Amino acid sequence: VSPSSQITRAQLERWAASICDVAQIEAALAAGQEATPEAVRDILFAARAMEGLSPAQTAILIQTQSSELRTEILHTARHVHQQAYGRRIGLFAPVCPTNRCVDDCLYCPLRRSNAMLRRTMASPNEIQKEVKDLLDEGHRRLIIVTGNSRSGVPYLRDMIEAICGVGQGPRRVQRVDLNIDPLSCEELQELKHPVVGTYHVYQETYHPAHYAALHPPGPKADYVARLTAHDQAARAGWSDLGLGLLLGAGPYEFDLVALVSHAQYLHREYGLRVHTVSLPRMIPAKGAPASQEPQRQIDDETFLFIVAVIRLALPFSGLVLNTPASTPLRRELYATGISEVMTGASSYPGVYTADGDPQAGGKLIIGRPRPLETLIYRMCEFGFVPNLCTACYGRHRREAWSGSIAPRDLSSEFCAPGAVLALKEYLIDHASAVSQPVIEHTIQQELARLPKEIRTKTLERLEEIEAGIRDSLL
Ligand code: SF4
């Protein structure tokens, strides 16, 4: 651990230059435009080995214009995604304790100068009411999402403790991820908690000029501080890190190459594999002028293609869908690369209990985020496996990320049966009669896909679940 006081500005700038070397990325993009169809096909052949892509290979694929080659890219991404994740889709819900923010990002309705927004900050009791509703619904994994509220680590710790204080036994929150603004090494050490999982910081855009244009003066205007947030976390001992882009904030071709370069940097410097990549699209919102510019809207076809290229570049990183998408598009995304879904693309304090004021959301979706059962029903109906398993995630994930267990083994030996067991618990404890048949059908299909030895063990655990035992693990 390097205390923040010992990390100089010059050091942060050196790290930032290693993460995102603008000249190098632009050179890779220029070279990528010259790539032949053979070069694209060679990359796709190599990608099937599940070793990922270099930034230069990413630059070639993301700029491919031929519709025939783009179809081949989508097709290869589906193959790689199937190898890495099967048909499992992880599910988690956002909790937004506050909509206060000292920053003024031009694309965000929570920006400090949006006077239309009613600002609010949940107390521990209020957050517990929301979490109780989520637990009753069947959620086990949450993510705390805040802007730059400057409420500090004590408030975040109070929120985490409040969330952990709800429920007991199997009906409790088993994992809480954090999507918060960058913290120092010391703050991140203070924030460590057994239930806390991934630390997400989205760069929004890696392109310095586009970043500067969207971020008026405020803490988030410091591009270097944001870019090195994961360095601070790694040095504070965090191994579970999430990257993210706001699609529409900058040139997506540049951003994808930079994101892959960032992932490689974290692996090279700290031995860490990026756990998740989140890909929200900019959506028009009142009070957020940049979000209303038509050229910033990423259409469905481009979005799907971006997901495919990232899936090939980072085969074992979870790709998170946390942006509105139509049902047909979701289906394509789940098959091509998305492995996790946040159940509300927009949320605000009090949204679950209906105590909140929709004016506090400031976004398009007014009302409660999608009910969990609807999502689960839809996924099963389409042949996907909703994954509520957090147990094996917590126990084995670190081994996988540190390299002592191959991600592919983690997927087949732990995640596939874990998803079946968690789905069975959901079926018995939460599902209505309408959903039960389709969920049971999914369980049986997934069981049939398991290797014989693992299937036998899974069947034993399923019997235990039927007898009332919970938190079963292989
Ligand atoms: S993007 Fe985050 S930091 Fe920027 S205004 Fe919105 S909540 Fe604040």
Side-chain angles (χ1 to χ4, degrees):
V1 173
S2 315
S4 301
S5 51
Q6 288 175 16
I7 300 175
T8 62
R9 181 73 190 181
Q11 195 162 20
L12 290 180
E13 282 169 5
R14 274 197 302 280
W15 293 341
S18 299
I19 295 167
C20 181
D21 181 329
V22 175
Q24 214 171 64
I25 294 170
E26 284 176 346
L29 286 165
Q33 286 180 350
E34 307 298 321
T36 61
E38 290 69 36
V40 171
R41 292 198 170 104
D42 286 349
I43 293 169
L44 294 181
F45 181 77
R48 287 177 174 257
M50 316 285 290
E51 300 286 335
L53 304 180
S54 67
Q57 291 173 321
T58 307
I60 291 174
L61 293 197
I62 195 61
Q63 295 183 103
T64 301
Q65 299 299 325
S66 139
S67 59
E68 191 186 339
L69 287 172
R70 284 172 78 97
T71 304
E72 289 176 37
I73 290 170
L74 288 169
H75 186 75
T76 311
R78 288 196 178 106
H79 171 80
V80 165
H81 184 53
Q82 169 71 34
Q83 295 298 306
Y85 285 93
R87 296 184 73 77
R88 296 183 302 283
I89 313 280
L91 289 164
F92 60 98
V95 174
C96 304
T98 176
N99 61 0
R100 291 186 183 162
C101 189
V102 297
D103 268 306
D104 210 22
C105 313
L106 296 176
Y107 46 81
C108 176
L110 303 194
R111 59 200 292 256
R112 65 172 184 256
S113 56
N114 182 3
M116 291 183 287
L117 206 66
R118 192 179 69 79
R119 306 287 170 167
T120 171
M121 196 158 182
S123 67
N125 277 347
E126 285 165 336
I127 216 72
Q128 286 192 323
K129 272 174 79 181
E130 297 216 60
V131 171
K132 184 176 175 311
D133 276 20
L134 289 166
L135 284 173
D136 288 346
E137 206 182 329
H139 279 289
R140 301 165 172 211
R141 178 180 162 199
L142 307 181
I143 180 167
I144 294 178
V145 183
T146 68
N148 202 342
S149 69
R150 280 290 190 255
S151 41
V153 170
Y155 180 69
L156 284 168
R157 276 202 75 94
D158 285 353
M159 289 298 109
I160 295 165
E161 290 296 347
I163 289 171
C164 291
V166 186
Q168 53 185 333
R171 195 172 282 213
R172 68 187 190 286
V173 177
Q174 294 172 1
R175 187 175 186 88
V176 181
D177 292 345
L178 300 175
N179 180 348
I180 52 179
D181 272 284
L183 297 174
S184 67
C185 273
E186 285 90 342
E187 289 171 318
L188 283 160
Q189 277 186 295
E190 250 184 273
L191 207 51
K192 274 193 166 179
H193 189 286
V195 85
V196 169
T198 310
Y199 173 58
H200 302 256
V201 177
Y202 303 173
Q203 185 60 31
E204 322 293 13
T205 174
Y206 284 86
H207 196 289
H210 286 263
Y211 189 91
L214 287 170
H215 297 97
K220 197 166 169 180
D222 188 340
Y223 170 86
V224 167
R226 192 153 189 102
L227 192 55
T228 51
H230 301 87
D231 290 80
Q232 304 265 8
R235 280 160 198 271
W238 286 58
S239 57
D240 199 339
L241 304 177
L243 303 181
L245 293 175
L246 174 60
L247 297 174
Y252 67 82
E253 299 90 341
F254 182 98
D255 281 335
L256 253 64
V257 178
L259 183 132
V260 172
S261 161
H262 195 176
Q264 286 197 341
Y265 166 88
L266 292 171
H267 193 239
R268 193 170 65 237
E269 292 296 317
Y270 307 107
L272 298 174
R273 285 200 189 87
V274 168
H275 183 182
T276 58
V277 174
S278 302
L279 299 164
R281 293 190 280 186
M282 207 180 277
I283 51 172
K286 283 186 192 154
S291 74
Q292 293 161 13
E293 296 168 9
Q295 77 276 15
R296 295 190 181 278
Q297 310 306 313
I298 298 286
D299 62 58
D300 290 356
E301 191 186 334
T302 308
F303 184 41
L304 180 65
F305 190 64
I306 288 170
V307 166
V309 174
I310 300 187
R311 173 48 70 225
L312 293 171
L314 303 169
F316 293 105
S317 293
L319 297 192
V320 181
L321 179 66
N322 55 357
T323 200
S326 65
T327 300
L329 176 61
R330 279 173 180 263
R331 210 168 158 169
E332 290 291 318
L333 291 165
Y334 297 163
T336 307
I338 290 295
S339 56
E340 301 186 17
V341 171
M342 188 158 89
T343 58
S346 173
S347 197
Y348 52 88
V351 66
Y352 296 109
T353 51
D355 291 346
D357 177 357
Q359 284 299 319
K363 291 205 182 171
L364 281 182
I365 301 169
I366 299 301
R368 197 182 194 294
R370 268 169 191 250
L372 182 62
E373 186 165 356
T374 310
L375 267 173
I376 288 181
Y377 183 94
R378 279 276 161 80
M379 285 180 178
C380 291
E381 202 182 27
F382 293 157
F384 297 100
V385 183
N387 189 4
L388 295 161
C389 176
T390 53
C392 98
Y393 182 115
R395 204 163 76 178
H396 303 295
R397 182 67 62 171
R398 271 173 231 299
E399 297 162 34
W401 294 152
S402 66
S404 59
I405 174 171
R408 203 189 293 233
D409 295 341
L410 177 80
S411 173
S412 62
E413 292 178 26
F414 300 107
C415 297
V420 168
L421 298 175
L423 194 56
K424 185 70 173 183
E425 291 185 2
Y426 176 84
L427 186 152
I428 294 174
D429 296 343
H430 301 279
S432 69
V434 176
S435 305
Q436 284 173 2
V438 73
I439 295 175
E440 185 59 42
H441 181 69
T442 302
I443 290 171
Q444 293 306 323
Q445 273 192 327
E446 200 59 6
L447 269 174
R449 289 193 189 105
L450 294 176
K452 191 164 175 252
E453 195 185 329
I454 294 175
R455 182 164 62 238
T456 306
K457 287 186 194 163
T458 309
L459 283 165
E460 286 166 13
R461 296 293 184 282
L462 285 172
E463 280 178 24
E464 291 176 2
I465 291 171
E466 276 166 7
I469 296 171
R470 292 293 175 266
D471 275 348
S472 274
L473 268 180
L474 284 196

